[in-house]
Amino acid sequence: MNARAALAAPWYSTHAAMRWLAFGVLAVCVIAAVCLGIFSSKVHWAWAVVGLYSAGLFYLWAFYLSSITLLAVDAHWLCIPGLKRSATFAVIFYAVLSLMPTVLVALADGNDIAPMILVSSLAIAGGLSLALLPRYFAMFTGVVPVLFSGLSRTFHLPGVDDPRFTLLTGAILLALLVLCAWRWRTVIATAPQNQSGVSGALVLQYRRSQWSGWGGMNGLDSTAQARQRPDWMQPRADLRRVGPLYPSNSMRVALGGWYLPLTAMGRVRAVVPTLAAMTLPFLVMFLIFSQDHGLSPSFWYPFLALMGGWICLFGAMGMTFMTVMLMQQRWRKPNAELPLLALMPGLGDAASAKCHLLSTAIGRPLRLQVMALILLVGMMIATHAAGTTMLMIVVGQLGCIAALIVCVLGIVAGRPLPGWGTFALMIAISLLLGCTSFLPSSTVGKHPWVPATSFVVAVLGGWTLVAIAMAWIGRRGMAAWRKRPHVFMPNG
Amino acid sequence: MNAVLRSISDDDAPLAVQGLTHGYGDGAVLNGIDLSLSPGSVLGLIGRNGAGKSTLIRAMVGLLKPHTGTAWVFGEPALALSDRAKARIAYVPQQPEALAWLTSQQMLDYVGRFYPAWDARFAKDMLHAWDIQPNRVLGKLSPGERQRVDLIRALASQPQLLVLDEPAAALDPVARRDLLREIALRAGEAGTTVLFSTHIVSDLERVASDIAFLHNGKLLLQCPVDDTKERFARLWLPAHMSAAAPSNTLGQRRHADGSLSLVVERQADGRWPEAAYLPGARVDALGLEDLFVEIAG
């Protein structure tokens, strides 16, 4: 057994960007935990430190140390049993190593040693489980804390002070360890090419190139998506109104993704997975809301206002991100749709093809975003929301619309933002919209909440900075747009 | 199919470029390329991996804007083609990946609506002949199958100019032979002009009427395939005669014993360079593959 090679395995099994991101998250958690440990005067300081450190551990195991599985998979299929044993050894070694800081903190605290170690163990097993489980489970990871919070109130689950806590966490840990062992064996023993679909383990995606660098933001390319989708989920294109007489529809077919005109059955098939994915978060919110308000007649209005507000608010943002990512992907490949469109007759001269493309690419998401804006404004007016609330909502929606326009213009004009630039813009918009996420629900009470002036100024100031950046992106995009002979040229 | 590389000024050349330069980052990929295809010719563009073949082809058909130089397709600027010119050209990229979300049948149906001379019967027959499942999504096909579908797409539009970038790279021997036969047939019977890039020399020998050799961003030679054996040879000079080596050669290699191998071209009067007639010098005939290896190796 080459222990050194096994211990270095996670380093070589992950792309640099993933690796450093995992280290970064762990480092932030550890620094926060250390600061808390030094400066906190509360009784439960050790629990806060362990909690923070465990959160970092969860991320580390989910996205970095779990990549040891890839070594085990290769070892299995290359028939190198020694290497496979080394991989198993590495998992156990890193698990024990990961628990050491928790043990030290628990010993320093002197109380709750076993529960603290159990919590960190849960983070390790949870992170590894997430990486080994089918990819679709990852969609629901975000709602797990809220779900747990809801369930703990419903079923009165024990807190850390309760003696039953050790029993409960021990049982969950045991279940997770059994799950990890079962998935570890399954993932290794199943040929990787048979695990490329959505039911394949998340960890198998880590070696794909799109997980590396900023290019990873564009997600899977269309060929990989088609391969991973089962046949019943493949889009059913409607080609009835396609051809030189329908340039816009023809462009939609060539752009694919959510632009693709679908048959009635195709639409149903496209909507069902989306609705299914939304069901769990919806149920969790329902659970939490019903506990706070009860199922009285006054429950439904605020609940639906909250859900509708969020769908409009974040739907518009998602629309921008999704469209930008799709367009970036289409304008990256020199061997896909672009050469076909560039040399296809019937789309008009370069100028009219440019206009058709831009109106097709922007028009559809723009219509939906404007609808979301109208709905939100309507809701604000109906609930007599404060002027500042209305202003923040409208500015947020207009920000999403502007981001969509300037980013798409830059891409088709040949001056797309670099990966880090797109990422930074997305983060900025997400944070600013996140600041207004509570506004839809705050308007439905008897006394609508008015945000503090300092808060409004800070958020609007943030939007002003983003607007300046977008004006610059739009200006360079427009200049490149005028110079580009035709739009069907790949970028880069 | 009597192809001759003609002067750039020909307006009727299906494809022509002049003074083409391009590069990525700081590296130059194309260095002042001049090339023209005469109607009905089959030009094989050969070069090593990374020689710039795909970049040259993409610049020639207007899929990228070169740093300098101009490309024309049927006399029109490649970057601003009219629908009329587009209807006469078909291009198949290397490892095509277009429209992964459509089935083969849908893709051909979609594209076919834009081409006035679309041969739907041919498309259907070829799908059947090449064992492509018409209702299978393109994204789920193998690279070879996908290349075949794209070749069918290109051929079914009945183009007058067919531009293929490494068309045989992902094909099995049977499909490769079918494709080469189809190219020869189109060029011979319909007068289709064909430009195809490859690094498989046997493909060139089978169908190309002309050859253009791209190396380090420059066209080192361009001539009819049949002329290469007559025009080029390997000149071997022993070590003590290496000073007599001609300066104007296509490639040269010094051996461990100090002797020198040079690729030389006949002069305008039909004679080899003077060094070839020195005592001890040896002139060896070169096949196309040997010529390629000697120059690029």
Side-chain angles (χ1 to χ4, degrees):
Chain A
M1 184 195 303
N2 186 346
R4 196 175 155 198
L7 296 179
W11 182 269
Y12 294 111
S13 303
T14 46
H15 290 293
M18 278 192 80
R19 184 192 312 147
W20 292 115
L21 190 61
F23 286 155
V25 170
L26 181 68
V28 168
C29 291
V30 168
I31 290 168
V34 168
C35 291
L36 208 69
I38 293 171
F39 300 112
S40 175
S41 56
K42 292 185 178 171
V43 183
H44 286 307
W45 68 270
W47 268 112
V49 169
V50 169
L52 274 170
Y53 173 65
S54 298
L57 269 189
F58 177 84
Y59 192 90
L60 190 78
W61 274 88
F63 298 104
Y64 175 62
L65 289 172
S66 54
S67 60
I68 297 169
T69 317
L70 300 175
L71 180 72
V73 170
D74 289 343
H76 177 82
W77 290 97
L78 291 170
C79 300
I80 313 174
L83 190 61
K84 201 169 146 187
R85 281 195 297 276
S86 297
T88 314
F89 162 76
V91 170
I92 296 166
F93 172 80
Y94 278 115
V96 173
L97 190 69
S98 303
L99 287 175
M100 285 302 137
T102 304
V103 172
L104 291 176
V105 172
L107 287 174
D109 183 53
N111 298 313
D112 302 330
I113 296 175
M116 283 183 192
I117 294 172
L118 278 172
V119 165
S120 285
S121 305
L122 270 182
I124 294 170
L128 188 59
S129 304
L130 177 68
L132 292 174
L133 280 169
R135 281 195 297 144
Y136 49 77
F137 275 94
M139 283 192 301
F140 305 117
T141 313
V143 295
V144 167
V146 185
L147 184 65
F148 185 77
S149 163
L151 288 175
S152 62
R153 279 193 285 176
T154 308
F155 298 106
H156 307 291
L157 298 179
V160 291
D161 295 329
D162 195 315
R164 291 176 301 151
F165 181 78
T166 308
L167 194 66
L168 176 72
T169 46
I172 296 174
L173 177 65
L174 192 64
L176 282 177
L177 288 177
V178 171
L179 180 71
C180 284
W182 168 61
R183 284 299 298 172
W184 172 272
R185 288 176 66 88
T186 309
V187 170
I188 289 171
T190 311
Q193 62 268 27
N194 294 336
Q195 299 188 70
S196 58
V198 285
S199 58
L202 182 68
V203 69
L204 295 176
Q205 304 295 317
Y206 296 174
R207 61 169 123 216
R208 293 184 192 279
S209 58
Q210 67 266 12
W211 282 77
S212 65
W214 303 110
M217 285 192 309
N218 295 333
L220 291 175
D221 70 16
S222 49
T223 297
Q225 278 179 4
R227 283 189 181 195
Q228 297 203 355
R229 267 194 298 251
D231 284 340
W232 69 269
M233 277 181 76
Q234 298 293 350
R236 298 289 188 272
D238 181 1
L239 299 181
R240 279 175 302 175
R241 294 168 70 84
V242 162
L245 295 176
Y246 310 101
S248 182
N249 253 18
S250 303
M251 295 269 190
R252 283 177 58 196
V253 172
L255 288 175
W258 75 291
Y259 288 103
L260 185 67
L262 296 171
T263 59
M265 183 51 75
R267 281 202 196 103
V268 172
R269 289 183 180 191
V271 166
V272 166
T274 312
L275 288 179
M278 286 173 66
T279 305
L280 186 64
F282 190 86
L283 284 177
V284 169
M285 290 310 300
F286 179 83
L287 193 69
I288 293 169
F289 228 72
S290 61
Q291 282 170 352
D292 291 344
H293 298 82
L295 284 175
S296 62
S298 63
F299 159 80
W300 289 103
Y301 177 57
F303 177 69
L304 291 176
L306 177 67
M307 296 311 288
W310 278 1
I311 287 171
C312 289
L313 207 62
F314 292 109
M317 183 181 78
M319 200 78 67
T320 296
F321 294 172
M322 206 165 64
T323 304
V324 170
M325 288 195 296
L326 186 140
M327 295 299 285
Q328 274 181 341
Q329 202 185 78
R330 299 290 181 268
W331 257 255
R332 202 176 46 190
K333 288 195 167 188
N335 59 341
E337 293 76 30
L338 295 183
L340 188 74
L341 288 169
L343 297 173
M344 200 155 72
L347 292 175
D349 59 12
S352 58
K354 263 181 171 182
C355 292
H356 278 310
L357 174 79
L358 199 61
S359 64
T360 307
I362 291 177
R364 203 151 183 260
L366 196 61
R367 274 196 295 276
L368 291 170
Q369 285 180 323
V370 169
M371 273 171 58
L373 177 61
I374 292 169
L375 280 172
L376 279 169
V377 170
M379 202 174 94
M380 297 291 135
I381 292 170
T383 53
H384 308 290
T388 47
T389 306
M390 173 95 82
L391 181 67
M392 286 172 75
I393 293 280
V394 170
V395 166
Q397 293 301 293
L398 291 179
C400 288
I401 290 173
L404 169 85
I405 293 171
V406 298
C407 287
V408 170
L409 178 68
I411 291 165
V412 298
R415 291 296 299 275
L417 278 181
W420 64 265
T422 312
F423 184 70
L425 184 66
M426 286 181 175
I427 291 288
I429 291 175
S430 306
L431 288 176
L432 289 170
L433 268 192
C435 289
T436 55
S437 61
F438 59 90
L439 291 179
S441 61
S442 71
T443 60
V444 293
K446 284 181 181 169
H447 303 288
W449 179 74
V450 180
T453 309
S454 57
F455 178 75
V456 175
V457 169
V459 172
L460 292 182
W463 276 117
T464 307
L465 290 177
V466 171
I468 292 168
M470 287 196 293
W472 173 75
I473 298 165
R475 190 169 167 272
R476 75 204 271 273
M478 186 51 81
W481 170 261
R482 290 201 190 99
K483 284 184 193 162
R484 202 163 227 208
H486 66 80
V487 276
F488 303 117
M489 288 188 194
N491 296 326
Chain B
M1 209 162 86
N2 179 24
V4 182
L5 293 159
R6 304 204 290 188
S7 70
I8 300 298
S9 58
D10 283 353
D11 284 342
D12 60 344
L15 202 54
V17 290
Q18 189 174 33
L20 212 64
T21 64
H22 196 68
Y24 300 108
D26 293 334
V29 176
L30 302 176
N31 282 315
I33 305 283
D34 295 334
L35 181 64
S36 174
L37 274 77
S38 55
S41 64
V42 179
L43 176 70
L45 182 64
I46 192 164
R48 294 189 67 175
N49 293 330
K53 301 188 291 292
S54 297
T55 303
L56 174 59
I57 285 180
R58 287 172 51 217
M60 287 178 94
V61 295
L63 297 175
L64 66 80
K65 192 178 173 185
H67 290 169
T68 62
T70 321
W72 293 274
V73 178
F74 296 114
E76 295 182 13
L79 288 168
L81 292 179
S82 66
D83 276 354
R84 195 173 152 272
K86 287 178 186 175
R88 299 164 72 191
I89 178 174
Y91 162 72
V92 177
Q94 195 176 359
Q95 296 170 351
E97 288 187 36
L99 305 171
W101 44 89
L102 298 183
T103 64
S104 320
Q105 185 60 60
Q106 281 177 327
M107 190 266 232
L108 295 172
D109 180 25
Y110 167 67
V111 175
R113 296 184 197 189
F114 292 90
Y115 287 91
W118 183 259
D119 188 345
R121 166 60 59 186
F122 169 85
K124 193 177 172 189
D125 290 348
M126 287 301 285
L127 275 182
H128 181 70
W130 276 353
D131 285 334
I132 310 284
Q133 295 177 47
N135 293 323
R136 198 163 165 77
V137 170
L138 285 168
K140 289 208 167 189
L141 298 181
S142 71
E145 287 175 317
R146 214 145 167 202
Q147 186 138 28
R148 277 183 264 171
V149 174
D150 224 40
L151 287 166
I152 294 169
R153 189 263 304 159
L155 293 167
S157 67
Q158 305 201 59
Q160 291 168 25
L161 171 62
L162 187 57
V163 182
L164 311 170
D165 191 358
E166 303 266 4
L171 299 184
D172 60 56
V174 177
R176 208 169 102 215
R177 186 160 290 201
D178 285 349
L179 170 67
L180 297 177
R181 193 188 304 127
E182 192 65 38
I183 290 175
L185 202 70
R186 297 275 173 142
E189 293 186 357
T192 306
T193 308
V194 182
L195 166 65
F196 74 103
S197 69
T198 185
H199 50 255
I200 305 171
V201 178
S202 60
D203 289 352
L204 270 181
E205 286 172 327
R206 196 165 287 161
V207 293
S209 59
D210 295 86
I211 178 176
F213 189 171
L214 189 66
H215 188 59
N216 288 339
K218 288 186 176 171
L219 274 184
L220 289 190
L221 65 91
Q222 39 186 289
C223 63
V225 170
D226 296 339
D227 284 5
T228 53
K229 271 190 186 168
E230 290 296 318
R231 274 177 64 181
F232 300 96
R234 183 198 296 124
L235 169 64
W236 180 83
L237 294 172
H240 67 275
M241 287 170 59
S242 58
S247 57
N248 192 16
T249 62
L250 287 169
Q252 69 173 44
R253 190 152 42 103
R254 188 172 288 280
H255 300 285
D257 61 357
S259 62
L260 207 57
S261 283
L262 310 146
V263 178
V264 292
E265 184 178 3
R266 280 188 195 277
Q267 296 166 347
D269 58 3
R271 284 171 56 82
W272 297 115
E274 284 306 315
Y277 301 101
L278 295 173
R282 198 174 70 223
V283 175
D284 300 322
L286 283 173
L288 204 51
E289 184 152 343
D290 291 333
L291 180 64
F292 176 44
V293 172
E294 286 291 332
I295 296 176

